Amino acid sequence: MEQYKKEFINFMVESKVLKFGSFTLKSGRQSPFFMNAGAYITGSQLKKLGEFYAKAIHDNFEEPDVFFGPAYKGIPLAVAASIAYYELYGKEIKYCCDRKEVKDHGADKGSILGYNIKDGDKVIIIEDVTTSGKSIEEVYPKIRAQETTKGGIKIIGEIVSLNRLEKAGDSEKSALDVITQTYGFPAIAIVTMKDVIEELYTNGDKTVITEEIKRELDKYYEQWGAAQ
């Protein structure tokens, strides 16, 4: 595992973004872990977070032109990643996000806030985590609506912080695999739960993922684990 991935896993725990215990998800599933990117609340945390996203994007995708952060949690992620990408690689990446309500007046009216995506742009969608893959159903048509010719905007991928590696809805596949299969672009994560377990349990001191939590994780994945 790359060093930045190990650092990111510990960063999520230290920032109280990744927690272990018992949590009820929006889907109704009872999960032994939970990730909440809304817990990144300081400038130093957002700076580091942007760097982790930038490194993962640089390692896995061709160079993009635009970071699209779905409202609301995706907005600071796209901004932080854009700043970090410039600092690390010297490339200006524009950012934008969707509006929950279309603005019908002013110079910046429309459904997009920030940079106006146009034909020829290579776009990466940045989110925190996805369990069902539902969010992309709202985001994808908003991006496509900015095109003047079909396929004029190239969505080169989506990236999230953590791949939960669990079944998405009624599918046997993970949400990221479903997105890739449905939309035709790679959907990846900085780290997966397999990476998290390796770092915090297999190679860790078992103070974060204890033996008891590991048993709960094993039970959870027996029931909800996605086909690999």
Side-chain angles (χ1 to χ4, degrees), residues 45-110:
Q45 287 174 334
L46 289 170
K47 183 178 186 297
K48 288 180 182 178
L49 179 62
E51 290 170 356
F52 288 122
Y53 268 98
K55 288 176 182 178
I57 289 166
H58 188 264
D59 277 2
N60 290 281
F61 297 105
E62 62 179 296
E63 198 163 67
D65 300 304
V66 185
F67 291 151
F68 185 99
Y72 291 100
K73 287 184 180 178
I75 298 173
L77 302 181
V79 172
S82 179
I83 295 169
Y85 206 95
Y86 177 75
E87 291 182 342
L88 291 173
Y89 307 111
K91 166 75 174 181
E92 290 277 21
I93 308 293
K94 305 171 188 72
Y95 101 93
C96 61
C97 63
D98 58 319
R99 298 179 189 270
K100 289 296 186 181
E101 296 180 358
V102 177
K103 186 178 180 183
D104 61 3
H105 63 279
D108 61 342
K109 65 181 180 181

Side-chain angles (χ1 to χ4, degrees), residues 85-157:
Y85 206 95
Y86 177 75
E87 291 182 342
L88 291 173
Y89 307 111
K91 166 75 174 181
E92 290 277 21
I93 308 293
K94 305 171 188 72
Y95 101 93
C96 61
C97 63
D98 58 319
R99 298 179 189 270
K100 289 296 186 181
E101 296 180 358
V102 177
K103 186 178 180 183
D104 61 3
H105 63 279
D108 61 342
K109 65 181 180 181
S111 62
I112 302 296
L113 176 65
Y115 173 70
N116 291 318
I117 315 171
K118 62 182 187 300
D119 289 2
D121 285 334
K122 294 178 290 186
V123 179
I124 289 180
I125 300 166
I126 298 182
E127 292 198 82
D128 57 343
V129 67
T130 180
T131 304
S132 66
K134 292 273 183 197
S135 59
I136 194 70
E137 295 176 10
E138 295 181 14
V139 167
Y140 185 81
K142 289 181 180 180
I143 296 175
R144 288 291 174 221
Q146 309 308 306
E147 297 175 325
T148 57
T149 58
K150 186 175 181 180
I153 294 171
K154 185 178 182 183
I155 302 175
I156 60 175

Side-chain angles (χ1 to χ4, degrees), residues 25 27 29-33 129-132 162-169 171-178 193 220-221 223-228:
L25 304 181
S27 63
R29 296 175 186 174
Q30 199 68 25
S31 173
F33 67 98
V129 67
T130 180
T131 304
S132 66
L162 176 68
N163 186 345
R164 291 180 60 96
L165 295 178
E166 63 185 79
K167 298 174 185 177
S171 174
E172 292 297 313
K173 298 176 180 292
S174 72
L176 295 181
D177 285 342
V178 169
M193 273 306 295
Y220 187 77
Y221 281 106
Q223 183 175 8
W224 299 116
Q228 301 295 304

Side-chain angles (χ1 to χ4, degrees), residues 189-202:
I190 301 176
V191 293
T192 69
M193 273 306 295
K194 182 178 179 181
D195 296 329
V196 170
I197 292 169
E198 178 183 330
E199 173 67 13
L200 299 178
Y201 178 79
T202 307

